[in-house]
Amino acid sequence: MPLDPFAMERWQSTYETEVAYNLSESGIMPVTLASLVDHSWIREVLARQALGYGHSRGSPELREAIAALYPDAPADQILVTSGTAEANFLVTWWLVEPDDEIVLMLPNYMQIHGLAQGFGGQIRAWWLQADKGWRPDIAALESLVGPRTKAIVVCNPNNPTGAVLTPEEMDAVVRAAGRVGAWIVADEVYHGAEILRDLTPTFWGRYERALVTCGLSKAYGLPGLRIGWILGPREAIDALWGRHDYTTIAPAHLSDMLARVALSPRVHSRLAQRARLTLQSNLGLLTAWVTEQEERVTWTPPEAGAIAMLRYRAPVNSTALAERLRTEQSVLVVPGDHFGLDGFIRVGYGMEATVLAEGLRRIGAVLAIL
Ligand SMILES: Cc1ncc(COP(=O)(O)O)c(C=O)c1O
């Protein structure tokens, strides 16, 4: 199966450990093991745990805890995966057959885009509109969806823009899918990383053929656990579980245990509050910096996610700009080219404030001389 390189992940995998100021991350800075569990838990529970396979579709306790995040979700309609990345992989692998049409929200995390093309699907791009504050074009969606549409794929909250669909826009997606019996695949991994608004509504429960993917990597600050999940109709989840036998068999056993801790009510609310405080305070810093840049940088501030798309005025290609920031300033950002949007860079702001402030100062210094 020929696959296009996953440009953003290649870029991050290659350079993220080499730079001093990594502004390419999209989640809240990771928490430590010690802030999740105390020493007695580590000694009494973790240390005595046999390192067996664990439950292939996720432990019943973890699936119950995940189900509790959604209205009326049964635990047996959840499949726990190794990160949201595996969840997206399984869903795409299961759904997309040669010549299927896939209507895909853009810009987007390009995983499903690349995989769907690799599996022979035909992508029909549904763009969020940069000049309209990243709002979707509902009329365009209506004309893109037709009898050959197998799925409408959305990323909500959106990576890279931080935009969130309104309930009316979600209804329009459901109507378009329902008209032709298509699936809705909703990557909701930024759920819980809302900044100054309510939690993003989920596609779960709005449409019977919805497959929701999510995980602990972003709002929870736990990307290293590699815990994600898929929530959907029972037959679909059973079929996806069968595919999971071919990929990773089971989520890592220790990660399953720690994920249960993370989703226990007390820790969950502590992590949710940490996310909100970090996002609000760092967005203040980023907003002040954008204001200082005057017309050199413009944006629509994100509603969710620790990422913002910045449009810069300098006459330079975004990959060339990102390369220059990396080699001359030791700052890693994601070039807009990776999302098909030259003239933009994606900047993460979920890290320590000191790193963010210095990274931004260095970006500003380069933009000022271009
Ligand atoms: C929209 C989206 N989906 C999935 C992933 C992968 O997440 P995970 O670390 O849970 O595998 C990312 C990571 O950046 C993402 O932005």
Side-chain angles (χ1 to χ4, degrees):
M1 171 179 98
L3 272 181
D4 285 341
F6 191 163
M8 182 184 78
E9 287 295 346
R10 258 320 50 236
W11 170 254
Q12 290 183 284
S13 305
T14 311
Y15 299 119
E16 66 195 346
T17 54
E18 289 183 6
V19 292
Y21 303 95
N22 181 9
L23 271 53
S24 76
E25 280 303 331
S26 60
I28 311 294
M29 73 189 127
V31 297
T32 61
L33 184 58
S35 71
L36 209 55
V37 290
D38 57 29
H39 284 287
S40 67
W41 193 93
I42 294 174
R43 261 194 328 270
E44 303 305 324
V45 184
L46 203 53
R48 288 162 196 242
Q49 181 60 48
L51 296 175
Y53 275 112
H55 292 264
S56 161
R57 58 175 167 161
S59 64
E61 299 86 343
L62 178 55
R63 284 185 289 111
E64 287 293 346
I66 294 168
L69 301 173
Y70 299 89
D72 302 321
D76 64 353
Q77 288 181 226
I78 286 164
L79 176 69
V80 180
T81 55
S82 297
T84 315
E86 193 199 6
N88 286 341
F89 178 84
L90 290 173
V91 165
T92 314
W93 182 28
W94 179 64
L95 267 185
V96 180
E97 290 172 81
D99 297 328
D100 280 346
E101 280 183 8
I102 306 297
V103 174
L104 190 132
M105 174 188 274
L106 285 175
N108 206 323
Y109 183 65
M110 297 302 272
Q111 183 194 8
I112 296 182
H113 183 279
L115 286 171
Q117 271 184 336
F119 292 127
Q122 306 294 320
I123 303 290
R124 308 198 78 190
W126 176 40
W127 280 94
L128 302 180
Q129 305 165 99
D131 51 354
K132 298 207 170 111
W134 302 117
R135 293 326 316 158
D137 181 341
I138 299 301
L141 175 68
E142 284 298 334
S143 63
L144 286 167
V145 173
R148 289 178 53 218
T149 305
K150 183 72 163 284
I152 302 177
V153 176
V154 302
C155 178
N156 188 47
N158 177 257
N159 177 2
T161 63
V164 176
L165 294 175
T166 63
E168 294 71 31
E169 289 162 349
M170 293 175 78
D171 289 344
V173 174
V174 168
R175 267 198 312 278
R179 181 163 55 75
V180 297
W183 288 87
I184 293 175
V185 176
D187 180 338
E188 299 182 353
V189 72
Y190 292 95
H191 183 89
E194 291 75 13
I195 305 155
L196 287 165
R197 49 161 291 141
D198 293 342
L199 284 178
T200 306
T202 170
F203 273 93
W204 165 257
R206 284 178 181 257
Y207 181 58
E208 56 192 24
R209 304 189 99 196
L211 289 163
V212 169
T213 62
C214 195
L216 297 183
S217 297
K218 308 301 176 186
Y220 299 84
L222 292 166
L225 291 188
R226 309 305 303 129
I227 290 288
W229 57 86
I230 312 169
L231 170 60
R234 186 167 284 112
E235 319 74 66
I237 293 299
D238 286 348
L240 289 160
W241 187 13
R243 298 280 174 128
H244 181 65
D245 294 340
Y246 278 102
T247 52
T248 59
I249 306 174
H253 198 162
L254 296 184
S255 293
D256 185 306
M257 294 172 72
L258 289 163
R260 276 179 253 160
V261 174
L263 290 177
S264 63
R266 199 177 44 85
V267 180
H268 183 241
S269 76
R270 185 158 54 76
L271 292 177
Q273 200 184 0
R274 172 181 185 268
R276 224 165 245 262
L277 291 177
T278 307
L279 288 171
Q280 286 175 2
S281 129
N282 284 6
L283 187 65
L285 222 149
L286 179 58
T287 306
W289 179 85
V290 172
T291 309
E292 270 167 36
Q293 297 305 304
E294 298 181 340
E295 74 287 0
R296 279 200 293 274
V297 173
T298 52
W299 70 335
T300 300
E303 295 176 78
I307 37 182
M309 274 302 254
L310 306 179
R311 192 200 286 260
Y312 57 86
R313 201 190 48 182
V316 56
N317 162 261
S318 63
T319 300
L321 173 60
E323 195 55 53
R324 181 159 178 183
L325 290 169
R326 180 181 78 76
T327 53
E328 292 178 9
Q329 302 290 336
S330 201
V331 174
L332 198 69
V333 300
V334 181
D337 279 342
H338 291 180
F339 307 101
L341 283 172
D342 193 19
F344 289 83
I345 51 174
R346 190 193 79 176
V347 166
Y349 64 93
M351 64 289 299
E352 288 92 354
T354 49
V355 173
L356 175 62
E358 180 58 18
L360 290 174
R361 192 192 67 71
R362 288 170 181 235
I363 297 171
V366 170
L367 290 178
I369 54 170
L370 284 174

